[in-house]
Amino acid sequence: MAVGIDPAKRAHQAVAVLYPDHVMLTRTLRNRIEDIERLDDDVQALAAEHQAEVVYGLEDHRRYGEALLQVLQARGRRVTVVNPLWTHRQKDFYGQDKDDVIDARAIAAVVLRRGQRLPDATDAHEETAALREAERTLQDLSERFTRAMNRLHLQLSMVYLDTYETFFSDIKGPWAWRFFARFPYPQTLNGLTAPELAEVLRELAGGRVGPRSREASRQALEQQASRILEATCRLREQPATVVHRLRAELIGQLCGELLQIHESKGRLKHLLDDELLPAPGRSLMAMCGVGITLAATVVSQIGDIRRFPSRHAFAKYNGTAPAARSSGGRVRHAARKSSNHRLKRAMWLMALAAVRHDPLARAFYDRCRARGLSKLESLKRVARRMSDIVYTVLRSGQPYDRARVEASIRRRAEQTAQEPGRGRTPVVDEASKRYRAPAPTP
């Protein structure tokens, strides 16, 4: 007997189906422990009556289904994870409108037909949920940071024109934000000499600036202060108006928001690095371009890597493997839309960083371009290779080893050279833009 449950915030829909397709129970239950226990008691009674084994199936076992999973596993029940793609196909087979009962029945039908191949829901513990929420919060903070930074650039360009970009080497830093919050428009610099402004800069920087001696830091700050005063000389001669004061308020608020976002991101990353990020995530950070945020995204979205039987199944899940479309004897490949989009974005970011900074990835990208592929198509293939590496690293539990990757590339090249008809450069048909292998050499 399979029990499909469609979880929601306030109420869940459960349907119990006895093999092959007999609906034995349909119930709407509140998201409360006592209701979940009552459902399990009734299901067990039905199973005993028909001498059937009970298997539960959930689509969302991480958020709204987390309480369901905890209660059922505490009672010793088997709970499986159902891929939403299979559920959608089953609902299309029923041919009915969207309904919670149909959703739950489709989940139960998938459990009946794929029960032995479905992975158990084992990763819905508090640490995984906290890691996922921390990763999403970091992404939201990054988006807020980008919006606030763009608005700050606009306001500064209205009062300082283009001179503000020469004040600091990096305007995306707390030092620059504190300066502009203190001096939101040029007229606020009036009355300050270069040594006085240098002392203010030291105070805003929090003390010592750079890996220099105290005297060298003082000289560097005075040069920076002189550069700021010279760049704003003509602007400081103009009278300040009410518009300047309004823009000063806006700049102050934006700088305060940026400082708050910077502090929040720092605390979250520190917590992830010290406590939350598990060992598999740390092993990913040995890869080129993978930081704490990207590693947290990958680990939190994957959960247990063992639920993917192969690297090909993992590539389909993260969207780096194309979807096959066949009709009339012809097979076409298109981008896979049904995938984990957060994980797909992470793979693309890893591919971009690898092409820019990793010689191995760059060489593979250049070979794809030499075959006549576009930049986008070449990058897709790099993303697929990154997916395979992530799968191997998480599956083995060992950190990324560049030497092992190079050895694997050499073995693959030797195998390709030994196979007949392999290793030749494909020919591009300019008329149809299709790629075909060259004719075998006699």
Side-chain angles (χ1 to χ4, degrees):
M1 180 184 294
V3 183
I5 303 179
D6 184 26
K9 182 188 294 185
R10 298 179 179 87
H12 311 312
Q13 184 66 49
V15 175
V17 179
L18 185 65
Y19 184 84
D21 195 18
H22 301 293
V23 178
M24 307 300 296
L25 180 144
T26 301
R27 178 176 300 177
T28 302
L29 61 150
R30 295 174 299 177
N31 191 13
R32 296 183 181 180
I33 295 179
E34 55 270 20
D35 285 20
I36 300 172
E37 293 176 343
R38 193 177 300 113
L39 169 69
D40 184 57
D41 293 338
D42 295 343
V43 168
Q44 295 302 318
L46 284 172
E49 180 181 349
H50 294 85
Q51 298 181 353
E53 179 185 356
V54 178
V55 179
Y56 287 88
L58 292 174
E59 268 191 355
D60 181 10
H61 67 292
R62 295 172 177 173
R63 298 180 63 189
Y64 298 142
E66 185 174 353
L68 277 165
L69 178 63
Q70 292 176 353
V71 173
L72 294 175
Q73 286 189 339
R75 289 183 149 221
R77 313 305 181 208
R78 186 192 173 199
V79 185
T80 59
V81 182
V82 178
N83 192 324
L85 295 178
W86 298 338
T87 306
H88 291 325
R89 293 172 184 172
Q90 187 66 32
K91 284 189 292 186
D92 292 339
F93 170 77
Y94 290 136
Q96 299 184 23
D97 295 336
K98 174 72 172 68
D99 184 78
D100 291 340
V101 176
I102 295 299
D103 292 346
R105 184 179 176 184
I107 295 172
V110 173
V111 173
L112 282 177
R113 288 159 178 78
R114 297 175 176 263
Q116 300 302 323
R117 291 179 290 172
L118 293 177
D120 293 334
T122 57
D123 64 328
H125 48 75
E126 294 182 359
E127 291 184 1
T128 303
L131 179 62
R132 189 174 299 109
E133 292 301 323
E135 173 265 323
R136 293 185 177 182
T137 302
L138 279 174
Q139 185 173 345
D140 293 340
L141 289 173
S142 298
E143 293 175 357
R144 286 179 52 196
F145 175 86
T146 302
R147 289 195 299 267
M149 202 66 219
N150 291 338
R151 293 171 59 193
L152 180 62
H153 275 292
L154 175 62
Q155 296 299 328
L156 291 177
S157 65
M158 301 296 287
V159 293
Y160 279 101
L161 302 183
D162 64 341
T163 59
Y164 74 95
E165 295 180 336
T166 64
F167 295 174
F168 299 91
S169 58
D170 183 15
I171 196 175
K172 296 182 180 179
W175 191 18
W177 301 331
R178 296 190 189 101
F179 174 84
F180 289 117
R182 182 81 169 266
F183 305 103
Y185 53 94
Q187 288 79 357
T188 54
L189 293 169
N190 286 332
L192 290 176
T193 62
E196 293 173 345
L197 182 57
E199 189 60 32
V200 174
L201 288 172
R202 181 188 299 276
E203 176 188 346
L204 296 176
R208 186 174 177 178
V209 181
R212 308 183 183 95
S213 64
R214 185 176 182 85
E215 181 62 24
S217 285
R218 184 186 64 79
Q219 295 178 0
L221 287 175
E222 287 188 1
Q223 293 176 1
Q224 184 176 2
S226 300
R227 186 170 63 251
I228 292 174
L229 293 176
E230 291 176 3
T232 59
C233 180
R234 296 295 301 274
L235 294 174
R236 289 186 285 116
E237 295 176 358
Q238 301 178 2
T241 63
V242 66
V243 175
H244 287 84
R245 290 192 292 272
L246 176 60
R247 295 193 184 280
E249 179 63 26
L250 295 176
I251 291 173
Q253 291 184 8
L254 289 172
C255 291
E257 181 180 357
L258 289 169
L259 286 168
Q260 181 183 4
I261 293 173
H262 179 77
E263 183 180 357
S264 300
K265 289 177 66 176
R267 289 200 304 267
L268 274 177
K269 288 183 178 181
H270 182 72
L271 186 61
L272 283 172
D273 194 19
D274 289 349
E275 300 180 20
L276 276 180
L277 190 64
R282 299 182 188 279
S283 62
L284 289 176
M285 294 177 64
M287 298 175 60
C288 179
V290 180
I292 184 72
T293 305
L294 207 55
T297 301
V298 173
V299 173
S300 64
Q301 295 301 317
I302 292 175
D304 189 358
I305 191 64
R306 294 173 297 179
R307 64 193 181 103
F308 301 103
S310 66
R311 59 187 177 90
H312 307 293
F314 177 62
K316 292 180 180 179
Y317 177 74
N318 61 44
T320 56
R325 300 286 187 266
S326 61
S327 177
R330 297 180 58 186
V331 179
R332 298 182 299 105
H333 292 87
R336 187 176 296 274
K337 297 182 180 179
S338 299
S339 61
N340 187 317
H341 295 286
R342 285 181 177 268
L343 197 55
K344 184 176 183 179
R345 177 179 178 271
M347 294 299 165
W348 274 83
L349 291 177
M350 293 167 64
L352 284 170
V355 168
R356 293 173 181 172
H357 306 291
D358 190 346
L360 288 177
R362 184 69 194 187
F364 177 70
Y365 174 84
D366 292 338
R367 290 197 301 270
C368 293
R369 293 285 291 148
R371 288 163 48 195
L373 298 179
S374 65
K375 294 181 179 179
L376 182 61
E377 291 297 327
S378 301
L379 195 60
K380 285 181 181 179
R381 283 152 178 78
V382 177
R384 173 58 196 273
R385 292 294 181 270
M386 300 305 293
S387 170
D388 294 345
I389 293 175
V390 169
Y391 179 82
T392 303
V393 169
L394 294 180
R395 191 82 178 185
S396 64
Q398 299 178 1
Y400 171 74
D401 188 356
R402 184 185 180 86
R404 292 178 59 189
V405 176
E406 293 176 345
S408 177
I409 293 175
R410 287 194 297 270
R411 287 196 303 269
R412 182 177 297 179
E414 293 173 357
Q415 294 173 359
T416 302
Q418 294 174 0
E419 295 180 9
R422 298 293 299 273
R424 297 186 301 274
T425 304
V427 179
V428 182
D429 185 355
E430 293 295 339
S432 61
K433 290 297 182 180
R434 296 173 183 165
Y435 300 95
R436 53 185 176 85
T441 56

